[in-house]
Amino acid sequence: MAASSNSSLSGSSVSSDPEDYQPPIWKSYLYQLQQEAPRPKRITCPQEMESRPKYYGREFHGLISREHADELLGGYEGAYIIRESQRQPGTYTLALRFGRQTLNYRLFYDGKHFVGEKRFESVHDLVTDGLITLYIETKAAEYIAKMTTNPIYEHLGYTSLLKDKMVSRLSRGRSEQRRVTFQRDDKISSPLLRRSALKECPERQCSYEKIHNFKVHTFRGPHWCEYCANFMWGLIAQGVRCSDCGLNVHKQCSKLVPSDCQPDLRRIKKVFSCDLTTLVKAHNTTRPMVVDMCIREIELRGLTSEGLYRVSGFSEHIEDVRLAFDRDGDKADISADTYADINIIAGVLKLYLRDLPIPVITFELYSKFVQAAKIPNPESRLEAIHEGLLLLPPAHHETLRFLMAHLKRVTMFEKDNFMNAENLGIVFGPTLMQPPEQSALTTLNDMRQQKLVVQLLIENEEVLF
């Protein structure tokens, strides 16, 4: 990230036209404060301490009182020592001089040194980072509290355009999910148009809302927050980075960033075990490529295969296909020339769905679908399932819709493949629905409801979707 330490945000102009977009001008105040922060000064012990732990150096002064530590520091800003606690022998305290007083912190070591969340290779680095943080938070407490009130993120040309497009497309996509009422004569109060299962939906591409996948990150060299344009201070773990799109922001700013992550393909290292929404946004597709390609191949040559989805394919070949998708993406070869046994392709599809970090029917909605399946009245049960479908994330809803339309066509060849909706429900129930607590007992107890949910989704696919 290009950054200027002598610039301020005022006077910057941003056009809504991406052709006229100019990089933001970063705010320098916190950077200047970091440069002014006190430097650490190690106060060494004049004699060798036999009780000194091997992971401490000459800054260790043994079992001394707080008062003695205060005298050793001598009023020098940034001076520090390590002492063994008199109150709790065997534990260690970092005594640090800052703001004309001695601050005492319980010091820990587990291979790295720490007093809080951050972990450091050396005590010197820990003190350096601590002094920076103390100085900035003391001098700029009010500034930090207000730095998110006028975020540059809201004014960036590419960001505002992306956000506007997402909002409009998302609203259109959601409007397609129409609420229906089920009646005893199996008719519905408002007509629903049958949507072709294999029909592409370009209108909904890229319209899926996705939260950022922020993780604590250590930046090498000066870095500025891409939300508030302020410097990210400290020696390590200065902020967070989205592992899917690379957005860099303060930890406190990350809570305010909109759910508009646009994953970068260079950061998505695999297809299997990747979050469903992340994958489709990164590849700019409506559904995961694995689902589209496997279903296309199965419908081309496997609908009459006996025991389709029930009969297992050769596990080593299934693993080969998984690796091919992770390596080659949509260029993976799953044709009959390479894998003649259609059960291998069916096994790959089931493996992909089973390995999703968030199941197609999400953890949050699992209990809602299970409870819906327990409703004795058929019409009320379908209405409850439909309510759950409306709450699914758009990418999950579209993937489930496409899969159920495919499984409905599988049942049309029941005389050949011996797979009806109930049989497919047994196969796909535990694959599409998993309890959030990952309890084997819960899964066992809910197997009947899992099977019934998928069975009803297949049988009523035209109505529910």
Side-chain angles (χ1 to χ4, degrees), residues 194-205:
R194 173 83 163 95
R195 284 186 277 180
S196 173
L198 291 176
K199 178 182 176 182
E200 295 295 334
C201 304
E203 182 66 27
R204 297 185 64 183
Q205 289 187 12

Side-chain angles (χ1 to χ4, degrees), residues 25-40:
I25 302 175
W26 308 109
K27 303 174 185 178
S28 63
Y29 177 54
L30 298 180
Y31 175 80
Q32 292 167 356
L33 287 182
Q34 175 160 312
Q35 299 301 100
E36 298 169 4
R39 299 294 185 264

Side-chain angles (χ1 to χ4, degrees), residues 1-7 25-32 219 221-232 248-250:
M1 181 194 302
S4 169
S5 62
N6 297 314
S7 58
I25 302 175
W26 308 109
K27 303 174 185 178
S28 63
Y29 177 54
L30 298 180
Y31 175 80
Q32 292 167 356
F219 299 95
H223 263 72
W224 272 253
C225 175
E226 295 175 47
Y227 182 80
C228 71
N230 281 287
F231 179 67
M232 293 196 280
N248 303 315
V249 296
H250 291 112

